[in-house]
Amino acid sequence: MSISFTLNEDQEAIRETAHEFAEEVIKPAAAHHDATGEYPWEVISQAWEAGLMNTHVPEEYGGAEMSNVDSLLIAEELAWGCSGIGTALEANGLAQAPVILGGSDFLKKKYLEAQVNELNDGNRPIMCAYAVTEPGAGSDVQALKTRAIKQGDKWVLNGSKMWITNGGVADWYF
């Protein structure tokens, strides 16, 4: 039995769409964002409109429920345009994964449906971040020190995080 790495017709179309987006939207904006450090909201908004974000969200929550290969084709092409902007675009998927895999129906509706169907304040996509990396622990989840402790009806977070993609702009964090 042999394995074929040939893309099917749908995958070729996905790859081409993502490549054209990277060439026409991401590449022209990349130098500006590298030089200024400004978050690429205009690129992110266009990628959201084009359906190039939140690709793993299940259909029952409004998403495309793309396969890992299909999503990888998009991610590869977006990163070809600019790895930094590509990472910002793909970070939603990292934070969404635990919700998709283990979240209740309530959480999936609350967080995933909003990301594919709504704009924050009516003008920008809803972003999330996967806040794992800590000083002294890196991304080793068993070594994390940050804790959430319930005090009355509120949660108190104690700890430090670092290098959290989308950390300063996220609407929610995992």
Side-chain angles (χ1 to χ4, degrees), residues 8-155:
N8 65 37
E9 193 174 305
D10 289 340
Q11 290 169 327
E12 279 292 347
I14 288 168
R15 189 204 56 74
E16 187 170 320
T17 297
H19 183 81
E20 287 174 5
F21 183 87
E23 188 163 41
E24 295 170 10
V25 179
I26 294 176
K27 283 190 98 159
H32 168 78
H33 292 286
D34 283 347
T36 66
E38 292 173 16
Y39 195 75
W41 281 117
E42 73 286 349
V43 175
I44 287 177
S45 293
Q46 290 177 62
W48 184 84
E49 287 287 336
L52 297 172
M53 293 178 60
N54 308 310
T55 59
H56 293 291
V57 174
E59 287 178 354
E60 67 185 289
Y61 301 104
E65 197 170 345
M66 288 187 177
S67 72
N68 288 335
V69 171
D70 294 349
S71 294
L72 177 65
L73 293 170
I74 292 171
E76 181 178 40
E77 293 298 338
L78 298 180
W80 171 82
C82 173
S83 61
I85 292 173
T87 299
L89 290 165
E90 285 297 309
N92 273 5
L94 186 60
Q96 292 165 349
V99 177
I100 292 169
L101 294 172
S104 67
D105 188 55
F106 171 79
L107 291 176
K108 290 175 184 179
K109 284 181 181 177
K110 179 178 181 178
Y111 293 105
L112 302 177
E113 281 184 5
Q115 286 199 277
V116 296
N117 295 315
E118 300 173 20
L119 294 174
N120 186 335
D121 300 324
N123 62 6
R124 67 172 182 80
I126 295 171
M127 302 300 289
C128 56
Y130 186 73
V132 172
T133 308
E134 291 184 359
S139 296
D140 177 3
V141 294
Q142 292 185 1
L144 298 179
K145 303 286 186 224
T146 299
R147 297 289 177 251
I149 301 165
K150 190 158 188 175
Q151 293 183 348
D153 62 346
K154 296 183 180 182
W155 287 90

